[in-house]
């Protein structure tokens, strides 16, 4: 769900209810590609929670899902969902619908622009503007194993540690936290191009060191 602990301080009562009870964020999969919005696999959308829970993808009505083009459009996507779908959705339980109806016209919106709050709250959920495709995405695909989950699997199977810096026989000497940290590095050798930015400009070519696996392409 979209809800965050500070919602009540920034948003109207009805917006808080939508974020808490009616809308959810999700990652588009293969089954969603033929549906509405023309998403890419891995792109994050916002949809009606009850339609997603009770209806097969092909039976859901148009307007139940929106794919924000950026974090700045999350607020508008929720507004579109409210205006075009929530009022007519047949899958919302009557008690939930009645609670929502009582909030329309109540809970005045706080003064000031709330756009930045919507953006910051989305970032807290792990969302960011996608650099690889369109729209927004999670920093880590929630459908894939987390690094800590993979460490647990490797440990239970007594398999490789996933790092050339930690041999399998040394696994029990390394905490999970330290192993996860070490896996972010790999061996490297000093190159001519490193003299431009490295603090170790006086190192000989071929001198052994460590490089961040996320930054190695920038060297």
């Amino acid at each position: 769900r979209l809800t965050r602990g500070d919602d009540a301080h920034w948003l109207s009562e009805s917006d808080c209810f939508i974020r808490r009870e009616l809308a959810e964020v999700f990652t588009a999969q293969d089954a969603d590609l033929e549906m509405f919005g023309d998403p890419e696999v891995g792109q994050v959308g916002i949809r009606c929670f009850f339609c997603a829970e009770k209806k097969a993808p092909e039976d859901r009505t148009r307007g139940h899902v929106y794919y924000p083009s950026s974090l700045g459009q999350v607020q508008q996507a929720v507004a579109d969902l409210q205006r075009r779908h929530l009022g007519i959705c047949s899958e919302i339980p009557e008690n939930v619908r009645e609670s929502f109806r009582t909030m329309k016209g109540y809970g005045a919106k706080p003064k000031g622009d709330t756009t930045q709050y919507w953006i910051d709250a989305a970032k807290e959920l792990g969302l960011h503007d996608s650099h690889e495709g369109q729209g927004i995405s999670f920093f880590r695909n929630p459908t894939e194993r987390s690094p800590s989950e993979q460490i647990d699997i490797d440990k239970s199977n007594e398999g490789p540690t996933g790092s050339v810096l930690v041999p399998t026989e040394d696994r029990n000497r390394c905490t999970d936290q330290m192993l996860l940290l070490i896996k972010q590095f790999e061996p490297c050798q000093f190159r001519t191009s490193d003299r431009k930015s490295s603090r170790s400009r006086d190192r000989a070519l071929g001198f052994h060191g460590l490089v961040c696996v996320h930054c190695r392409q920038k060297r």
Side-chain angles (χ1 to χ4, degrees), residues 59-77:
D59 296 330
R60 298 170 192 165
T61 59
R62 182 176 295 276
H64 86 283
V65 60
Y66 293 91
Y67 293 93
S69 58
S70 67
L71 292 181
Q73 292 299 310
V74 170
Q75 182 179 15
Q76 185 60 52

Side-chain angles (χ1 to χ4, degrees), residues 1-205:
R1 303 295 178 93
L2 283 164
T3 186
R4 307 301 297 162
D6 290 337
D7 283 2
H9 299 293
W10 292 91
L11 307 176
S12 68
E13 190 178 13
S14 59
D15 278 347
C16 291
F17 190 82
I18 292 172
R19 288 163 62 90
R20 183 177 67 249
E21 302 290 344
L22 302 178
E24 69 174 3
V25 293
F26 73 102
T27 301
Q29 303 300 315
D30 290 334
D32 300 300
L33 301 187
E34 303 300 325
M35 305 304 294
F36 313 108
D38 192 27
E40 297 179 348
V41 171
Q43 185 176 349
V44 166
I46 296 173
R47 65 187 178 188
C48 171
F49 168 76
F50 292 100
C51 281
E53 184 180 54
K54 298 182 179 182
K55 284 186 175 181
E58 62 272 14
D59 296 330
R60 298 170 192 165
T61 59
R62 182 176 295 276
H64 86 283
V65 60
Y66 293 91
Y67 293 93
S69 58
S70 67
L71 292 181
Q73 292 299 310
V74 170
Q75 182 179 15
Q76 185 60 52
V78 173
D80 290 341
L81 182 68
Q82 176 183 4
R83 184 174 65 255
R84 301 174 183 175
H85 177 78
L86 296 180
I88 61 174
C89 179
S90 60
E91 301 303 325
I92 299 177
E94 190 57 36
N95 64 312
V96 177
R97 186 191 308 279
E98 189 60 32
S99 295
F100 182 46
R101 283 174 178 168
T102 63
M103 294 178 186
K104 294 181 178 180
Y106 294 92
K109 189 175 181 180
K111 295 181 179 180
D113 185 12
T114 60
T115 301
Q116 190 59 49
Y117 176 78
W118 282 83
I119 294 174
D120 293 340
K123 289 180 178 179
E124 288 183 18
L125 290 173
L127 298 171
H128 70 125
D129 291 327
S130 177
H131 302 299
E132 299 178 355
Q134 61 186 34
I136 62 177
S137 59
F138 282 103
F139 280 104
R140 182 185 67 80
N141 189 335
T143 64
E144 298 176 352
R145 293 192 186 105
S146 70
S148 60
E149 290 171 336
Q150 187 60 52
I151 286 177
D152 287 339
I153 292 173
D154 293 341
K155 185 162 54 174
S156 63
N157 294 336
E158 297 184 354
T161 63
S163 171
V164 297
L165 300 173
V166 182
T168 303
E169 59 269 22
D170 291 341
R171 174 63 184 86
N172 292 333
R173 301 180 182 180
C174 188
T175 65
D176 291 351
Q177 181 182 23
M178 181 56 67
L179 177 59
L180 182 59
L181 175 62
I182 292 176
K183 289 176 70 173
Q184 310 313 305
F185 296 88
E186 65 180 17
C188 68
Q189 291 183 323
F190 193 85
R191 305 185 307 195
T192 303
S193 59
D194 294 324
R195 297 191 188 280
K196 298 178 181 179
S197 57
S198 174
R199 295 181 180 179
S200 304
R201 295 186 179 90
D202 58 340
R203 293 287 187 264
L205 293 179

